[in-house]
Amino acid sequence: MLAALCKELPVTDPVTLTADLIRCASVTPVEGGAISLLESLLSRAGFVCTRIERNGVHNLHARYGTTGPVLGFNGHTDVVPVGEGWTHDPFGGTISDGKLWGRGACDMKSGVAAFVCAALDFVQDNPDPDLSLAILITGDEEGPGLDGTLAILDWMAAHGETLDHCIVGEPTCPERMGEMIKIGRRGSMTAYLTATGMQGHAAYPHRARNPLPPLIALLDRLAAWQMDGGTDQFDPSTLSITTVDTGNPANNVIPGQATATVNIRFNGAHSSVSITEILRAMVAGAEVEGVTIAMDIKVSGESFVTAPDAFTDLVRGAVQAETGVEPVLSTSGGTSDARFIRRIAPVLEFGVVGQSMHKADEHVAVSDIDALARVYRRLIGGYTDVLAKRLV
Ligand SMILES: [Zn+2]
Protein backbone atom coordinates (compact mmCIF):
# COMPACT_ATOMS: atom_id res chain seq x y z
CA MET A 1 0.00 0.00 0.00
CA LEU A 2 2.61 2.51 1.06
CA ALA A 3 4.93 1.54 -1.74
CA ALA A 4 2.38 2.98 -4.15
CA LEU A 5 2.42 6.19 -2.19
CA CYS A 6 4.53 8.69 -3.95
CA LYS A 7 4.24 8.06 -7.65
CA GLU A 8 4.67 11.75 -8.29
CA LEU A 9 6.46 12.63 -5.10
CA PRO A 10 10.16 12.70 -4.32
CA VAL A 11 10.12 9.95 -1.67
CA THR A 12 8.74 6.48 -1.99
CA ASP A 13 8.40 5.16 1.53
CA PRO A 14 8.73 6.03 5.21
CA VAL A 15 12.16 4.39 5.50
CA THR A 16 13.54 6.57 2.70
CA LEU A 17 11.93 9.64 4.22
CA THR A 18 13.38 8.81 7.67
CA ALA A 19 16.84 8.49 6.13
CA ASP A 20 16.39 11.78 4.25
CA LEU A 21 15.40 13.47 7.51
CA ILE A 22 18.40 11.99 9.37
CA ARG A 23 20.64 13.57 6.70
CA CYS A 24 19.26 16.96 7.78
CA ALA A 25 21.51 17.83 10.75
CA SER A 26 18.74 19.43 12.80
CA VAL A 27 20.23 19.63 16.29
CA THR A 28 17.99 21.92 18.35
CA PRO A 29 17.31 24.71 17.42
CA VAL A 30 18.80 24.31 13.91
CA GLU A 31 16.16 23.53 11.27
CA GLY A 32 18.71 21.75 9.08
CA GLY A 33 16.37 21.47 6.10
CA ALA A 34 14.13 18.90 7.82
CA ILE A 35 11.00 21.04 8.07
CA SER A 36 11.52 22.44 4.56
CA LEU A 37 11.68 18.90 3.23
CA LEU A 38 8.37 17.98 4.88
CA GLU A 39 6.77 21.26 3.83
CA SER A 40 7.63 20.68 0.21
CA LEU A 41 6.42 17.08 0.31
CA LEU A 42 3.11 17.91 1.99
CA SER A 43 2.47 21.01 -0.18
CA ARG A 44 2.91 19.01 -3.34
CA ALA A 45 0.30 16.53 -2.08
CA GLY A 46 -2.27 19.29 -1.51
CA PHE A 47 -1.76 20.04 2.19
CA VAL A 48 -2.12 23.70 3.15
CA CYS A 49 1.21 24.39 4.84
CA THR A 50 1.98 27.23 7.20
CA ARG A 51 5.47 27.85 8.50
CA ILE A 52 5.33 29.15 12.06
CA GLU A 53 8.56 30.77 13.18
CA ARG A 54 9.07 32.10 16.66
CA ASN A 55 12.36 33.28 18.16
CA GLY A 56 14.34 31.53 15.45
CA VAL A 57 12.55 28.17 15.84
CA HIS A 58 10.91 26.69 12.74
CA ASN A 59 7.60 24.84 13.00
CA LEU A 60 5.04 23.61 10.50
CA HIS A 61 1.24 23.28 10.47
CA ALA A 62 -0.06 21.28 7.50
CA ARG A 63 -3.74 20.60 6.95
CA TYR A 64 -5.62 18.53 4.41
CA GLY A 65 -9.39 18.83 4.17
CA THR A 66 -11.82 21.51 5.20
CA THR A 67 -14.39 19.52 7.14
CA GLY A 68 -14.25 18.02 10.58
CA PRO A 69 -13.45 15.94 12.49
CA VAL A 70 -9.77 16.86 12.62
CA LEU A 71 -7.25 14.14 13.41
CA GLY A 72 -3.85 15.53 14.35
CA PHE A 73 -0.34 14.11 14.31
CA ASN A 74 2.46 15.75 16.24
CA GLY A 75 6.19 15.23 16.15
CA HIS A 76 9.55 16.94 16.20
CA THR A 77 12.39 17.03 13.70
CA ASP A 78 14.97 18.47 16.08
CA VAL A 79 17.44 16.07 17.67
CA VAL A 80 19.80 16.09 20.64
CA PRO A 81 23.53 16.66 20.04
CA VAL A 82 25.54 13.74 18.68
CA GLY A 83 27.99 13.20 21.57
CA GLU A 84 30.78 10.62 21.49
CA GLY A 85 31.11 6.94 20.67
CA TRP A 86 29.42 6.53 17.29
CA THR A 87 30.44 3.73 14.91
CA HIS A 88 27.98 4.95 12.24
CA ASP A 89 27.74 8.41 10.66
CA PRO A 90 25.18 10.15 12.90
CA PHE A 91 23.84 12.12 9.93
CA GLY A 92 24.40 9.44 7.29
CA GLY A 93 21.05 7.65 7.41
CA THR A 94 22.71 4.36 6.50
CA ILE A 95 21.01 0.97 6.62
CA SER A 96 22.79 -2.17 7.82
CA ASP A 97 21.72 -5.29 9.71
CA GLY A 98 18.09 -4.40 9.03
CA LYS A 99 18.46 -1.17 10.98
CA LEU A 100 18.53 2.47 9.99
CA TRP A 101 21.24 4.34 11.87
CA GLY A 102 21.60 7.98 12.83
CA ARG A 103 20.69 10.72 15.28
CA GLY A 104 16.91 10.95 15.38
CA ALA A 105 16.39 7.45 13.93
CA CYS A 106 14.06 6.52 16.77
CA ASP A 107 13.56 9.93 18.47
CA MET A 108 11.75 10.72 16.32
CA LYS A 109 12.34 11.17 12.63
CA SER A 110 10.97 7.68 11.94
CA GLY A 111 7.72 8.64 13.71
CA VAL A 112 7.41 11.84 11.68
CA ALA A 113 8.19 10.03 8.42
CA ALA A 114 5.67 7.29 9.26
CA PHE A 115 2.75 9.62 9.91
CA VAL A 116 3.59 11.90 7.00
CA CYS A 117 3.70 8.93 4.61
CA ALA A 118 0.52 7.47 6.10
CA ALA A 119 -1.23 10.82 5.65
CA LEU A 120 0.03 11.17 2.06
CA ASP A 121 -1.13 7.66 1.28
CA PHE A 122 -4.56 8.35 2.77
CA VAL A 123 -5.16 11.55 0.80
CA GLN A 124 -4.01 9.89 -2.38
CA ASP A 125 -6.62 7.17 -1.83
CA ASN A 126 -9.21 9.67 -0.54
CA PRO A 127 -8.72 13.03 -2.26
CA ASP A 128 -12.01 14.32 -0.88
CA PRO A 129 -12.13 12.80 2.64
CA ASP A 130 -14.86 13.25 5.25
CA LEU A 131 -12.28 14.27 7.82
CA SER A 132 -9.33 16.63 8.01
CA LEU A 133 -5.76 15.76 8.82
CA ALA A 134 -3.54 18.22 10.67
CA ILE A 135 0.18 17.62 10.89
CA LEU A 136 2.04 19.58 13.55
CA ILE A 137 5.82 19.46 13.28
CA THR A 138 8.10 21.32 15.64
CA GLY A 139 11.81 22.07 15.59
CA ASP A 140 12.00 22.62 19.34
CA GLU A 141 11.05 19.63 21.44
CA GLU A 142 14.47 18.61 22.72
CA GLY A 143 15.29 22.20 23.75
CA PRO A 144 13.34 24.57 25.98
CA GLY A 145 10.12 23.78 24.07
CA LEU A 146 8.78 27.31 24.46
CA ASP A 147 8.74 28.17 20.75
CA GLY A 148 7.85 24.75 19.39
CA THR A 149 4.51 22.99 19.74
CA LEU A 150 3.34 25.86 21.98
CA ALA A 151 3.94 28.28 19.09
CA ILE A 152 1.93 26.02 16.76
CA LEU A 153 -0.93 25.85 19.29
CA ASP A 154 -0.89 29.65 19.67
CA TRP A 155 -1.04 30.03 15.89
CA MET A 156 -3.89 27.48 15.71
CA ALA A 157 -5.90 29.33 18.37
CA ALA A 158 -5.42 32.63 16.52
CA HIS A 159 -6.56 31.09 13.22
CA GLY A 160 -9.50 29.02 14.45
CA GLU A 161 -7.71 25.70 13.88
CA THR A 162 -8.65 22.85 16.22
CA LEU A 163 -8.06 19.14 16.75
CA ASP A 164 -10.54 16.48 17.79
CA HIS A 165 -7.87 13.90 18.63
CA CYS A 166 -4.12 13.78 18.31
CA ILE A 167 -1.40 11.16 18.04
CA VAL A 168 2.16 11.99 19.07
CA GLY A 169 4.70 9.82 17.27
CA GLU A 170 7.35 9.66 20.01
CA PRO A 171 9.01 6.27 20.56
CA THR A 172 6.84 4.48 23.14
CA CYS A 173 7.80 0.81 22.94
CA PRO A 174 10.39 -0.34 25.51
CA GLU A 175 11.70 -3.41 23.68
CA ARG A 176 9.32 -4.75 21.09
CA MET A 177 7.35 -2.93 18.42
CA GLY A 178 3.69 -2.62 19.35
CA GLU A 179 3.91 -3.30 23.06
CA MET A 180 3.08 0.12 24.51
CA ILE A 181 0.77 3.09 23.91
CA LYS A 182 1.18 6.07 26.22
CA ILE A 183 -2.11 7.47 27.45
CA GLY A 184 -0.64 10.05 29.81
CA ARG A 185 2.50 11.27 31.43
CA ARG A 186 3.71 12.09 34.88
CA GLY A 187 4.24 15.73 35.70
CA SER A 188 7.73 17.14 36.00
CA MET A 189 9.05 19.96 38.13
CA THR A 190 12.42 21.12 39.40
CA ALA A 191 13.30 22.87 42.67
CA TYR A 192 16.46 24.98 42.68
CA LEU A 193 17.74 25.42 46.27
CA THR A 194 20.22 28.04 47.40
CA ALA A 195 21.46 27.96 51.01
CA THR A 196 23.19 31.16 52.08
CA GLY A 197 25.30 31.53 55.23
CA MET A 198 28.53 33.38 55.86
CA GLN A 199 31.95 32.46 54.48
CA GLY A 200 34.82 31.96 56.91
CA HIS A 201 38.05 30.16 57.88
CA ALA A 202 37.61 26.45 58.52
CA ALA A 203 39.75 26.80 61.68
CA TYR A 204 37.25 29.28 63.12
CA PRO A 205 33.82 27.82 62.26
CA HIS A 206 32.13 29.79 65.02
CA ARG A 207 32.90 32.95 63.03
CA ALA A 208 31.21 31.59 59.90
CA ARG A 209 27.73 30.30 59.11
CA ASN A 210 28.17 27.12 57.11
CA PRO A 211 25.23 26.59 54.71
CA LEU A 212 26.15 22.96 54.01
CA PRO A 213 24.85 21.10 57.12
CA PRO A 214 21.29 22.50 56.88
CA LEU A 215 21.24 21.97 53.11
CA ILE A 216 22.44 18.37 53.53
CA ALA A 217 19.85 17.77 56.24
CA LEU A 218 17.14 19.08 53.90
CA LEU A 219 18.35 16.88 51.02
CA ASP A 220 18.39 13.90 53.35
CA ARG A 221 14.75 14.50 54.24
CA LEU A 222 13.81 14.97 50.61
CA ALA A 223 15.59 11.78 49.55
CA ALA A 224 13.66 9.84 52.19
CA TRP A 225 10.28 11.28 51.19
CA GLN A 226 7.92 8.54 49.96
CA MET A 227 5.64 10.78 47.96
CA ASP A 228 2.92 8.20 47.36
CA GLY A 229 2.43 4.53 46.54
CA GLY A 230 1.27 5.08 42.94
CA THR A 231 -2.28 5.31 41.61
CA ASP A 232 -4.47 3.14 39.38
CA GLN A 233 -2.94 4.73 36.30
CA PHE A 234 0.49 5.83 37.47
CA ASP A 235 3.66 4.50 39.05
CA PRO A 236 4.72 6.10 42.37
CA SER A 237 5.98 9.67 42.17
CA THR A 238 9.76 10.02 42.42
CA LEU A 239 12.19 12.66 43.61
CA SER A 240 15.83 12.80 42.53
CA ILE A 241 18.62 15.02 43.81
CA THR A 242 20.43 15.98 40.63
CA THR A 243 23.06 18.55 41.66
CA VAL A 244 24.89 19.70 44.82
CA ASP A 245 27.45 22.46 44.42
CA THR A 246 29.47 24.92 46.46
CA GLY A 247 31.92 26.06 43.80
CA ASN A 248 34.47 26.01 46.61
CA PRO A 249 37.95 24.74 45.64
CA ALA A 250 39.55 25.37 49.04
CA ASN A 251 39.73 22.84 51.89
CA ASN A 252 40.12 25.54 54.53
CA VAL A 253 37.29 27.85 53.54
CA ILE A 254 33.74 27.43 54.77
CA PRO A 255 31.65 28.44 51.74
CA GLY A 256 29.18 31.28 52.00
CA GLN A 257 26.69 29.60 49.69
CA ALA A 258 25.70 26.15 48.46
CA THR A 259 23.15 25.09 45.89
CA ALA A 260 21.27 21.93 45.03
CA THR A 261 18.74 20.86 42.41
CA VAL A 262 15.90 18.42 42.92
CA ASN A 263 13.82 16.99 40.05
CA ILE A 264 10.41 15.51 40.78
CA ARG A 265 8.25 13.30 38.54
CA PHE A 266 4.76 13.20 39.98
CA ASN A 267 1.54 11.36 39.34
CA GLY A 268 -2.11 12.36 39.63
CA ALA A 269 -2.00 12.18 43.44
CA HIS A 270 -0.19 15.55 43.37
CA SER A 271 -0.05 18.79 41.49
CA SER A 272 2.90 21.15 41.17
CA VAL A 273 1.06 23.48 43.57
CA SER A 274 0.55 20.86 46.28
CA ILE A 275 4.15 19.69 45.99
CA THR A 276 5.45 23.26 46.16
CA GLU A 277 3.55 23.79 49.43
CA ILE A 278 5.14 20.71 50.97
CA LEU A 279 8.59 21.72 49.72
CA ARG A 280 8.22 25.20 51.17
CA ALA A 281 7.38 23.78 54.57
CA MET A 282 10.36 21.40 54.45
CA VAL A 283 12.69 24.23 53.40
CA ALA A 284 11.46 26.48 56.19
CA GLY A 285 11.99 23.65 58.69
CA ALA A 286 15.58 23.18 57.53
CA GLU A 287 16.74 26.76 57.99
CA VAL A 288 18.93 27.48 61.05
CA GLU A 289 20.18 30.67 62.62
CA GLY A 290 22.36 32.52 60.12
CA VAL A 291 21.50 30.27 57.16
CA THR A 292 18.60 30.94 54.82
CA ILE A 293 17.45 28.61 52.06
CA ALA A 294 15.82 30.08 48.98
CA MET A 295 13.86 27.95 46.54
CA ASP A 296 12.94 28.55 42.88
CA ILE A 297 10.48 26.21 41.22
CA LYS A 298 10.23 25.46 37.51
CA VAL A 299 7.26 23.39 36.38
CA SER A 300 7.72 21.54 33.08
CA GLY A 301 4.25 20.01 33.07
CA GLU A 302 1.43 18.68 35.23
CA SER A 303 0.52 15.02 35.09
CA PHE A 304 -2.31 14.04 32.76
CA VAL A 305 -4.10 10.97 31.53
CA THR A 306 -6.43 10.46 28.56
CA ALA A 307 -9.33 8.29 29.70
CA PRO A 308 -9.63 5.15 27.57
CA ASP A 309 -12.48 5.43 25.05
CA ALA A 310 -13.35 4.56 21.44
CA PHE A 311 -10.28 6.44 20.17
CA THR A 312 -8.00 4.45 22.46
CA ASP A 313 -9.66 1.27 21.18
CA LEU A 314 -9.04 2.37 17.59
CA VAL A 315 -5.34 2.96 18.20
CA ARG A 316 -4.97 -0.23 20.18
CA GLY A 317 -6.76 -2.20 17.44
CA ALA A 318 -4.57 -0.69 14.71
CA VAL A 319 -1.40 -1.55 16.64
CA GLN A 320 -2.55 -5.10 17.27
CA ALA A 321 -3.65 -5.65 13.66
CA GLU A 322 -0.37 -4.42 12.18
CA THR A 323 2.16 -5.71 14.71
CA GLY A 324 0.43 -8.78 16.15
CA VAL A 325 1.20 -7.48 19.62
CA GLU A 326 -1.40 -6.41 22.19
CA PRO A 327 -0.22 -3.04 23.50
CA VAL A 328 -0.44 -1.99 27.13
CA LEU A 329 -1.68 1.47 28.02
CA SER A 330 0.99 3.25 30.05
CA THR A 331 1.82 6.56 31.69
CA SER A 332 5.51 5.82 32.20
CA GLY A 333 8.51 7.81 31.04
CA GLY A 334 9.42 11.48 30.84
CA THR A 335 7.52 14.42 29.43
CA SER A 336 6.65 15.04 25.80
CA ASP A 337 4.75 17.64 23.80
CA ALA A 338 1.60 15.66 24.56
CA ARG A 339 1.53 17.74 27.74
CA PHE A 340 0.75 20.81 25.61
CA ILE A 341 -1.60 19.19 23.11
CA ARG A 342 -3.79 17.64 25.79
CA ARG A 343 -4.98 21.18 26.57
CA ILE A 344 -6.93 21.22 23.29
CA ALA A 345 -7.66 17.56 22.47
CA PRO A 346 -7.40 13.99 23.78
CA VAL A 347 -3.90 12.79 22.94
CA LEU A 348 -2.23 9.37 22.72
CA GLU A 349 1.35 8.51 21.90
CA PHE A 350 2.54 5.60 19.85
CA GLY A 351 5.85 5.07 18.10
CA VAL A 352 8.83 2.79 17.61
CA VAL A 353 11.14 1.10 20.13
CA GLY A 354 12.93 3.82 22.08
CA GLN A 355 15.89 1.87 23.51
CA SER A 356 18.59 3.82 21.68
CA MET A 357 17.11 7.29 21.96
CA HIS A 358 19.67 10.01 22.83
CA LYS A 359 22.46 7.38 22.73
CA ALA A 360 25.45 6.86 20.44
CA ASP A 361 24.55 4.68 17.44
CA GLU A 362 20.86 5.54 17.70
CA HIS A 363 18.92 3.25 15.38
CA VAL A 364 15.53 1.85 14.47
CA ALA A 365 14.56 -1.43 12.84
CA VAL A 366 13.56 -0.85 9.23
CA SER A 367 10.62 -3.21 9.67
CA ASP A 368 9.41 -1.15 12.65
CA ILE A 369 9.23 2.01 10.52
CA ASP A 370 7.08 0.21 7.96
CA ALA A 371 4.90 -1.25 10.70
CA LEU A 372 4.44 2.17 12.28
CA ALA A 373 3.37 3.72 8.98
CA ARG A 374 0.84 0.91 8.51
CA VAL A 375 -0.52 1.45 12.05
CA TYR A 376 -1.00 5.17 11.37
CA ARG A 377 -2.56 4.51 7.95
CA ARG A 378 -4.99 2.01 9.46
CA LEU A 379 -6.07 4.35 12.24
CA ILE A 380 -6.60 7.26 9.85
CA GLY A 381 -8.80 4.99 7.77
CA GLY A 382 -10.87 3.97 10.81
CA TYR A 383 -11.05 7.38 12.41
CA THR A 384 -14.35 8.75 11.12
CA ASP A 385 -16.17 5.61 12.22
CA VAL A 386 -14.82 6.04 15.71
CA LEU A 387 -15.72 9.68 16.02
CA ALA A 388 -19.18 9.01 14.64
CA LYS A 389 -19.64 6.38 17.36
CA ARG A 390 -18.49 8.81 20.03
CA LEU A 391 -21.00 11.44 18.89
CA VAL A 392 -24.00 9.04 18.86
ZN1 LIG B 1 11.36 12.91 21.09
Side-chain angles (χ1 to χ4, degrees):
M1 180 171 59
L2 287 162
L5 172 63
C6 302
K7 275 180 238 144
E8 296 150 23
L9 296 171
V11 294
T12 53
D13 66 21
V15 177
T16 306
L17 181 54
T18 306
D20 287 345
L21 288 170
I22 288 172
R23 292 185 195 108
C24 300
S26 49
V27 176
T28 321
V30 175
E31 189 268 338
I35 286 177
S36 296
L37 171 63
L38 297 170
E39 182 179 15
S40 119
L41 196 58
L42 289 161
S43 301
R44 290 174 66 174
F47 281 74
V48 177
C49 290
T50 307
R51 250 331 232 275
I52 300 153
E53 294 184 29
R54 193 157 89 182
N55 293 326
V57 172
H58 294 249
N59 305 286
L60 179 68
H61 179 274
R63 176 166 174 158
Y64 192 98
T66 52
T67 56
V70 185
L71 173 60
F73 287 92
N74 169 255
H76 62 89
T77 53
D78 62 319
V79 294
V80 295
V82 169
E84 304 294 320
W86 286 75
T87 61
H88 293 79
D89 178 356
F91 299 117
T94 48
I95 294 175
S96 64
D97 302 327
K99 301 182 182 87
L100 175 57
W101 303 82
R103 178 55 84 222
C106 76
D107 186 12
M108 59 165 284
K109 288 176 169 177
S110 51
V112 169
F115 65 62
V116 165
C117 284
L120 293 174
D121 190 61
F122 175 78
V123 302
Q124 194 169 52
D125 289 349
N126 305 273
D128 192 16
D130 54 359
L131 60 79
S132 292
L133 295 175
I135 292 185
L136 284 51
I137 310 278
T138 174
D140 178 22
E141 197 275 344
E142 302 289 7
L146 299 174
D147 298 309
T149 293
L150 280 179
I152 302 175
L153 294 178
D154 288 347
W155 179 89
M156 289 175 69
H159 291 81
E161 293 283 350
T162 56
L163 300 175
D164 288 275
H165 292 90
C166 190
I167 297 282
V168 175
E170 289 278 0
T172 56
C173 297
E175 287 174 23
R176 196 158 58 118
M177 186 60 186
E179 66 185 348
M180 186 176 286
I181 296 168
K182 301 237 166 143
I183 58 167
R185 295 276 186 163
R186 289 183 298 175
S188 174
M189 63 188 287
T190 301
Y192 298 93
L193 302 164
T194 304
T196 304
M198 186 172 63
Q199 183 179 314
H201 196 302
Y204 307 96
H206 57 286
R207 294 184 192 161
R209 291 287 179 271
N210 192 341
L212 283 169
L215 181 62
I216 291 166
L218 172 61
L219 294 176
D220 196 40
R221 281 192 66 200
L222 288 171
W225 181 18
Q226 298 294 320
M227 295 180 67
D228 54 70
T231 69
D232 285 351
Q233 287 157 320
F234 287 96
D235 290 335
S237 303
T238 57
L239 180 153
S240 299
I241 299 164
T242 51
T243 75
V244 183
D245 297 291
T246 65
N248 176 22
N251 73 327
N252 57 355
V253 175
I254 291 168
Q257 202 164 67
T259 61
T261 310
V262 173
N263 183 255
I264 299 168
R265 304 299 170 117
F266 55 97
N267 61 33
H270 304 271
S271 69
S272 63
V273 172
S274 68
I275 292 170
T276 300
E277 274 178 27
I278 294 168
L279 290 175
R280 290 210 185 287
M282 291 170 86
V283 166
E287 288 181 328
V288 299
E289 195 188 339
V291 177
T292 59
I293 302 177
M295 180 174 69
D296 279 331
I297 296 283
K298 179 172 168 284
V299 179
S300 301
E302 302 291 336
S303 73
F304 71 93
V305 67
T306 298
D309 63 1
F311 183 63
T312 321
D313 290 344
L314 172 73
V315 178
R316 186 154 47 181
V319 171
Q320 194 160 5
E322 295 294 348
T323 67
V325 176
E326 187 173 349
V328 297
L329 306 179
S330 169
T331 57
S332 61
T335 61
S336 76
D337 277 358
R339 73 188 191 274
F340 302 132
I341 292 166
R342 62 108 186 186
R343 297 174 190 168
I344 66 164
V347 57
L348 298 176
E349 299 176 70
F350 179 72
V352 295
V353 175
Q355 262 176 352
S356 66
M357 58 202 286
H358 296 203
K359 293 184 178 171
D361 280 339
E362 181 176 345
H363 61 273
V364 60
V366 167
S367 58
D368 288 357
I369 304 176
D370 283 327
L372 184 61
R374 291 197 309 272
V375 169
Y376 292 149
R377 178 64 183 82
R378 181 180 282 267
L379 77 88
I380 296 170
Y383 181 66
T384 42
D385 288 348
V386 163
L387 205 79
K389 261 192 236 164
R390 195 190 70 162
L391 294 175
V392 165

